[in-house]
Amino acid sequence: MYKSSLKETLKISLFVLLFLALIQPFGIDELQEGRILFILGQTTIVAITTFFCYILTIHLFKIRSVTLLGFRKYFLSALFGFALETSLLGFFLITFNSWFHTGNPSLYWHNYDGSFTLRPWCIMSMYVGAIGLFVMLFQTFEYRNLRLKSELDEVKAINLLLEQRQEKIVEEEECLERNVQEGQEESGGETEQMVRIEGQGIDATLVLAPRNIIYVESMSNYADICYIADNETKHKTLRITLKQIRASLENVDTIVQCHRAFLVNLDFVVALSTRPQGYQLQLFGIEKQIPVSRANTEAIKSKLA
């Protein structure tokens, strides 16, 4: 984050340098001597103050990466940094201008009668805030683009893992078929472990192999279990919570929670896509898109790796 902060500071400093040199506000165009030194002095103050505000904001908001920030946290941190930088720059620029033009750094902080006044600081802060608002809007647009790029890169990485996983599953199934054809016993004669999912009420029990479960969707106190049986996709609704089903499948590594209302079997996942509302999983032979919450994205990636 320090390198990123330094990079942003240099970009802002270059913008300020060009703005002061081309627009020449704050009476710069009326300077007969020292115009270049005045511009460089103000730019240096902006650079130091901006970098300080970046570092302070990073520590206060515990920011590790801009692309990992949610919009709410980004907005709050940007608003804090904007207010802090505007206030500090108003103070430092007034003090610098007073010293540069009069040789007395405190002269601009007093009225003609010698009384202390904040009016110059308020005016300077207003000018700085107007320019800073433009910069903040540009950075927000840049942040949005970085987030989109990061999400696309993440989707590509996950889809590559999914493709590799599907290739491995196909190879294992082909190997199993060859073994059956050659009369070899599957897994050394061991039978596949079955799970028993029991809900409340009559006919509320489902016994099946975990690898046949495609996904589970929670609907209040009910759960819709989508599974494969007799080479067909079937559904069974039980009066049971997702937490209870998750407990029944706690030893099954391929079935993970991808959303607060969904469990999914990673062996059926063929692709991941991104939508405005978040990530979604495409399952083999299923039209329904399964949502993925950001909180569960890393867990799914670790399972696929």
Side-chain angles (χ1 to χ4, degrees):
M1 282 302 297
Y2 291 111
K3 289 183 179 179
S4 177
S5 298
L6 183 59
K7 181 180 178 181
E8 289 298 316
T9 299
L10 292 175
K11 287 165 61 176
I12 292 174
S13 300
L14 180 60
F15 168 78
V16 171
L17 180 63
L18 292 174
F19 177 80
L20 294 176
L22 297 176
I23 306 300
Q24 297 191 12
F26 315 127
I28 296 177
D29 56 337
E30 299 176 1
L31 289 176
Q32 300 299 324
E33 297 180 358
R35 183 180 301 179
I36 295 177
L37 290 177
F38 184 73
I39 292 175
L40 291 177
Q42 286 198 325
T43 303
T44 301
I45 290 173
V46 170
I48 295 174
T49 305
T50 299
F51 187 70
F52 169 78
C53 290
Y54 269 127
I55 298 303
L56 184 61
T57 303
I58 287 171
H59 284 285
L60 286 178
F61 287 86
K62 299 179 180 179
I63 301 173
R64 295 182 179 179
S65 173
V66 175
T67 56
L68 297 178
L69 279 180
F71 181 78
R72 182 174 178 274
K73 188 173 183 180
Y74 172 82
F75 178 76
L76 290 176
S77 63
L79 191 62
F80 170 81
F82 172 77
L84 178 64
E85 187 172 2
T86 299
S87 302
L88 291 178
L89 279 177
F91 171 80
F92 289 128
L93 290 177
I94 285 295
T95 303
F96 171 77
N97 291 354
S98 179
W99 169 79
F100 189 89
H101 291 299
T102 68
N104 183 355
S106 64
L107 185 62
Y108 283 8
W109 290 95
H110 295 83
N111 292 315
Y112 292 109
D113 59 359
S115 60
F116 179 78
T117 178
L118 288 175
R119 186 172 180 272
W121 174 79
C122 293
I123 295 175
M124 180 61 75
S125 296
M126 182 181 66
Y127 285 131
V128 170
I131 299 172
L133 182 61
F134 173 78
V135 174
M136 189 174 72
L137 290 175
F138 174 79
Q139 289 180 325
T140 301
F141 177 77
E142 192 177 41
Y143 157 79
R144 178 178 174 274
N145 288 339
L146 284 173
R147 280 296 301 269
L148 289 175
K149 183 179 181 301
S150 176
E151 288 179 357
L152 287 175
D153 290 342
E154 189 171 42
V155 167
K156 289 180 180 178
I158 293 177
N159 282 332
L160 179 60
L161 292 173
L162 288 171
E163 184 178 343
Q164 294 172 349
R165 185 183 184 90
Q166 288 300 318
E167 290 176 354
K168 184 178 179 181
I169 292 173
V170 170
E171 290 177 358
E172 291 177 350
E173 290 179 349
E174 290 177 350
C175 181
L176 179 60
E177 289 179 1
R178 286 197 301 268
N179 291 340
V180 172
Q181 291 175 359
E182 294 172 1
Q184 297 180 9
E185 295 184 355
E186 181 182 349
S187 302
E190 294 182 1
T191 58
E192 185 175 8
Q193 185 68 35
M194 308 292 281
V195 294
R196 184 183 183 89
I197 301 175
E198 295 187 8
Q200 300 179 14
I202 301 173
D203 191 27
T205 300
L206 181 63
V207 179
L208 75 171
R211 67 185 182 89
N212 290 337
I213 297 175
I214 302 176
Y215 70 87
V216 180
E217 181 179 4
S218 174
M219 299 175 291
S220 187
N221 292 325
Y222 291 85
D224 174 39
I225 303 173
C226 178
Y227 63 99
I228 294 289
D230 300 325
N231 294 322
E232 294 182 3
T233 300
K234 297 184 178 183
H235 290 264
K236 189 173 183 65
T237 301
L238 300 177
R239 184 176 177 83
I240 189 174
T241 64
L242 198 67
K243 182 178 180 180
Q244 292 173 314
I245 296 179
R246 198 167 62 240
S248 301
L249 303 171
E250 60 180 353
N251 296 323
V252 183
D253 293 335
T254 58
I255 299 179
V256 299
Q257 184 157 3
C258 61
H259 186 270
R260 60 183 178 82
F262 284 91
L263 298 176
V264 65
N265 189 339
L266 296 178
D267 287 345
F268 284 91
V269 180
V270 294
L272 179 140
S273 58
T274 180
R275 295 289 185 272
Q277 64 270 25
Y279 295 121
Q280 290 184 324
L281 295 174
Q282 178 64 55
L283 305 182
F284 180 78
I286 301 294
E287 294 184 2
K288 186 182 184 70
Q289 297 285 326
I290 307 299
V292 179
S293 63
R294 299 190 186 281
N296 292 298
T297 301
E298 289 301 320
I300 290 179
K301 286 175 62 178
S302 64
K303 289 286 186 179
L304 292 172

